[in-house]
C-alpha cells in the first residue's frame, strides 16, 4: 500500500469534502480521487534546464498537417465534451477560453455545448487554419499564450488546456494568468500528460527511446498540482477519459506519418525511420484491427 505524501493527503481530503462530481455522465470517465497521485517516480531526464521541452514552431513545422494528424471523430469529440460537462457548472451559457486552441479542433464544439468561447493561440498559422473553418457566432480566436492572454480579468467561467500545458515556457506565470482571467470558482480543465501518469499509447513502444523521450516532455502530476496550489488554486478532480478508437491500426499509422505529435521533434531521423519500420511490421499483421484505446488523464483545478 502506498502511503500518501502530505500534498497528496491534502488533495485527497479536499476532494473527499467536495460534493460528488457527475462522473457518471459517461461510461468513458473514470474517477481517480483515491489514488496516491504522487505516483511512481520515473528516472527521466528533462529535455533542457528547467524542465521545458524544445520549442516547436508551429508556424513552420506542423500547421499544415496538424488538423489531419490530430483530428477527432464526432464520437471522440462528444466523449470529451461530456467529460468537460461533468466537471463544469450546470448553468448555461458559460464563457470559456480554449488556451492553446491550435487549429480549433475543440473550440466550436465547446461553444455549441457551453456558450461563447475565445480561442487563444500563439501560432499565426494555426490560428489561420482555425479561422478558415466555417464561422461560429460564439467563437473568436486571438493571438496570445497561457502566460499572456488578451482578455479582461475575471471574464471566463472556465479554461481548457488540451495537450498544451507542456508547451508553456513560464508555467508559474501561466498559473497566475489563468487565475486572473477566470472568475472566482472558475475551472481549469487540464488535459495533460504527466510523467508518472502516462497513458502509454500502443504505438510508442515501437520507437527507439519512444517512451523515454515522450515522458521527458512532461512534469509529474504532483509537481503540476504543487505549482497551481501555490498560486491559490485547488484540485477539483482527477480522472481519466477513454475516447473511442480513431479507426484501424492502419488509419493510425497514416496519421502518425504526418508527425504531428510533439515527441517526434525529439527523435533523430534514424530513430523515426526505425520506429516506423517496426510499426509497419506490426500493423501489417492485422491492418484492419481497431486501434487500441487508452485512458487519458484529465486534471480539474478550481480558482480560489
Amino acid at each position: 500500500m502506498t502511503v500518501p505524501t502530505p500534498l497528496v493527503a491534502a488533495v485527497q481530503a479536499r476532494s473527499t469534502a467536495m460534493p460528488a462530481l457527475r462522473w457518471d455522465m459517461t461510461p468513458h470517465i473514470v474517477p481517480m480521487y483515491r489514488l496516491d497521485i504522487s505516483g511512481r517516480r520515473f528516472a527521466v531526464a528533462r529535455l533542457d534546464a528547467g524542465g521545458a521541452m524544445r520549442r516547436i514552431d508551429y508556424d513552420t513545422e506542423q500547421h499544415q498537417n496538424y488538423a489531419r494528424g490530430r483530428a477527432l471523430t464526432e464520437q471522440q469529440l462528444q466523449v470529451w465534451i461530456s467529460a468537460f460537462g461533468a466537471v463544469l457548472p450546470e448553468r448555461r451559457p458559460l464563457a470559456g477560453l480554449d488556451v492553446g486552441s491550435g487549429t480549433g479542433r475543440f473550440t466550436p464544439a465547446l461553444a455549441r455545448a457551453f456558450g461563447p468561447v475565445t480561442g487563444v493561440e500563439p501560432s499565426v498559422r494555426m490560428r489561420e487554419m482555425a479561422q478558415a473553418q466555417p464561422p461560429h457566432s460564439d467563437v473568436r480566436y486571438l493571438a496570445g499564450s497561457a502566460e499572456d492572454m488578451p482578455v479582461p480579468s475575471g471574464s471566463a467561467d472556465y479554461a481548457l488546456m488540451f495537450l498544451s500545458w507542456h508547451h508553456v515556457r513560464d508555467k508559474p506565470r501561466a498559473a497566475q494568468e489563468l487565475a486572473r482571467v477566470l472568475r472566482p470558482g472558475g475551472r481549469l480543465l487540464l488535459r495533460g500528460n504527466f510523467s508518472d501518469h502516462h497513458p502509454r499509447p500502443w504505438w510508442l513502444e515501437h520507437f527507439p527511446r519512444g517512451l523515454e523521450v515522450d515522458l521527458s516532455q512532461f512534469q509529474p502530476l504532483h509537481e503540476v498540482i504543487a505549482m497551481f496550489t501555490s498560486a491559490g488554486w485547488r484540485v477539483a478532480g482527477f480522472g481519466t477519459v477513454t475516447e473511442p478508437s480513431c479507426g484501424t491500426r492502419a488509419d493510425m499509422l497514416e496519421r502518425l506519418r504526418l508527425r504531428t505529435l510533439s515527441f517526434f521533434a525529439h527523435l533523430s531521423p534514424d530513430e523515426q525511420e526505425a520506429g516506423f519500420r517496426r510499426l509497419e511490421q506490426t500493423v501489417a499483421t492485422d491492418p484492419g484491427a481497431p486501434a487500441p484505446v487508452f485512458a487519458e488523464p484529465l486534471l480539474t483545478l478550481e480558482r480560489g
Side-chain angles (χ1 to χ4, degrees):
M1 177 178 178
T2 305
V3 178
T5 65
L7 171 62
V8 173
V11 170
Q12 291 174 337
R14 281 194 290 268
S15 297
T16 303
M18 291 177 56
L21 295 177
R22 294 174 290 109
W23 291 104
D24 58 342
M25 287 186 65
T26 167
H28 298 280
I29 306 174
V30 179
M32 300 174 66
Y33 295 126
R34 295 291 183 177
L35 294 183
D36 174 2
I37 57 175
S38 64
R40 300 179 303 280
R41 303 300 177 86
F42 290 89
V44 178
R46 294 294 178 85
L47 292 173
D48 59 31
M53 59 183 290
R54 182 184 76 82
R55 183 184 293 274
I56 296 175
D57 184 354
Y58 283 95
D59 286 327
T60 59
E61 293 185 49
Q62 293 190 4
H63 67 277
Q64 291 180 323
N65 293 325
Y66 191 90
R68 285 189 297 148
R70 306 297 285 275
L72 294 170
T73 66
E74 187 61 30
Q75 188 179 13
Q76 288 175 322
L77 188 60
Q78 288 309 310
V79 164
W80 282 110
I81 294 299
S82 293
F84 302 151
V87 294
L88 290 176
E90 292 185 1
R91 62 181 173 82
R92 301 289 183 269
L94 297 172
L97 294 168
D98 187 3
V99 183
S101 52
T103 56
R105 61 176 176 160
F106 280 102
T107 323
L110 292 170
R112 289 192 296 268
F114 307 124
V117 181
T118 297
V120 178
E121 169 58 44
S123 166
V124 174
R125 297 296 188 187
M126 297 284 268
R127 288 198 313 277
E128 287 176 350
M129 299 289 287
Q131 290 164 337
Q133 296 182 55
H136 189 290
S137 60
D138 281 338
V139 169
R140 63 172 180 163
Y141 296 98
L142 299 177
S145 66
E147 301 99 322
D148 186 11
M149 286 179 271
V151 298
S153 298
S155 60
D157 296 298
Y158 74 92
L160 170 67
M161 293 194 71
F162 198 97
L163 292 176
S164 57
W165 178 250
H166 61 292
H167 290 292
V168 175
R169 306 294 288 184
D170 189 340
K171 290 179 170 61
R173 179 178 171 185
Q176 296 286 351
E177 177 71 347
L178 287 159
R180 180 188 70 80
V181 298
L182 293 186
R183 300 185 177 109
R187 294 275 171 103
L188 171 61
L189 313 180
L190 189 61
R191 162 58 186 111
N193 286 336
F194 308 98
S195 61
D196 49 355
H197 288 79
H198 192 280
R200 301 196 182 199
W202 60 277
W203 45 263
L204 196 60
E205 65 191 41
H206 295 283
F207 289 86
R209 298 191 307 117
L211 181 60
E212 173 192 350
V213 168
D214 206 40
L215 285 171
S216 68
Q217 299 180 87
F218 308 112
Q219 298 170 282
L221 179 60
H222 68 88
E223 186 176 297
V224 176
I225 288 174
M227 182 178 300
F228 276 96
T229 54
S230 67
W233 295 79
R234 71 182 187 91
V235 175
F238 177 63
T240 61
V241 177
T242 300
E243 66 180 34
S245 176
C246 65
T248 66
R249 289 177 183 256
D251 293 333
M252 190 63 206
L253 174 58
E254 291 310 304
R255 287 192 182 205
L256 289 169
R257 291 188 193 281
L258 297 174
R259 292 167 169 79
T260 57
L261 297 173
S262 300
F263 97 106
F264 282 120
H266 308 291
L267 294 178
S268 70
D270 287 345
E271 288 174 319
Q272 293 186 39
E273 291 309 312
F276 276 111
R277 284 196 300 271
R278 295 176 186 176
L279 194 54
E280 288 163 0
Q281 292 171 0
T282 297
V283 169
T285 63
D286 192 359
V293 299
F294 46 89
E296 304 182 48
L298 178 63
L299 174 64
T300 306
L301 296 150
E302 184 171 283
R303 181 192 182 281

